[in-house]
Amino acid sequence: QLQASGGGLVQAGGSLRLSCAASGRTFSSYVMSWFRQAPGKEREFVASISRRSSSTNYADSVKGRFTISRDNAKNTVYLEMNSLKPEDTAVYYCAATRSGATSRGSDYIYWGQGTQVTVSR
């Protein structure tokens, strides 16, 4: 089970840190990612992190502004979001996969409930 938190309302240029806590003892065996879905749009990949944090991947739209990290001892994955833009407004979901790093939502088997991020102008 994945539980996302940390969303909220922030002005453009501001920052937020999302967290996703996982239950169970096998967190470190999963590649973890964040996706987002804006109103009227399809879900899109944001970032992923490998099992031991050795590699990360980002969507071009967030490179240089967002940072994904994880703490396997705490069964938690984070998304640090800086220089937020109104177009970052979306519901953000964490997800877990046993596959390799992938941006395809269909490869993920566990999903969090989502946390709303709203960036005002």
Side-chain angles (χ1 to χ4, degrees):
Q1 184 177 0
L2 301 177
Q3 184 75 30
S5 62
L9 173 64
V10 64
Q11 289 186 334
S15 299
L16 280 175
R17 188 193 197 200
L18 305 183
S19 299
C20 175
S23 59
R25 301 180 180 179
T26 60
F27 177 76
S28 61
S29 67
Y30 293 90
V31 168
M32 298 298 298
S33 291
W34 289 93
F35 289 79
R36 67 186 182 185
Q37 187 167 21
K41 295 187 177 181
E42 294 188 352
R43 181 181 59 198
E44 65 174 352
F45 169 79
V46 175
S48 68
I49 187 167
S50 62
R51 295 168 179 82
R52 302 297 182 186
S53 304
S54 57
S55 66
T56 56
N57 290 288
Y58 297 92
D60 288 343
S61 59
V62 306
K63 279 181 182 177
R65 300 187 298 121
F66 290 12
T67 302
I68 189 171
S69 62
R70 66 191 295 166
D71 185 337
N72 287 345
K74 295 183 178 179
N75 282 10
T76 303
V77 61
Y78 305 96
L79 186 68
E80 184 76 34
M81 305 186 294
N82 298 314
S83 303
L84 282 162
K85 304 175 181 180
E87 50 264 44
D88 294 319
T89 295
V91 177
Y92 283 72
Y93 300 90
C94 54
T97 180
R98 288 193 178 273
S99 303
T102 170
S103 60
R104 294 184 305 189
S106 59
D107 289 334
Y108 289 79
I109 56 175
Y110 298 112
W111 291 83
Q113 86 287 3
T115 185
Q116 176 71 49
V117 171
T118 303
V119 185
S120 63
R121 298 186 182 278

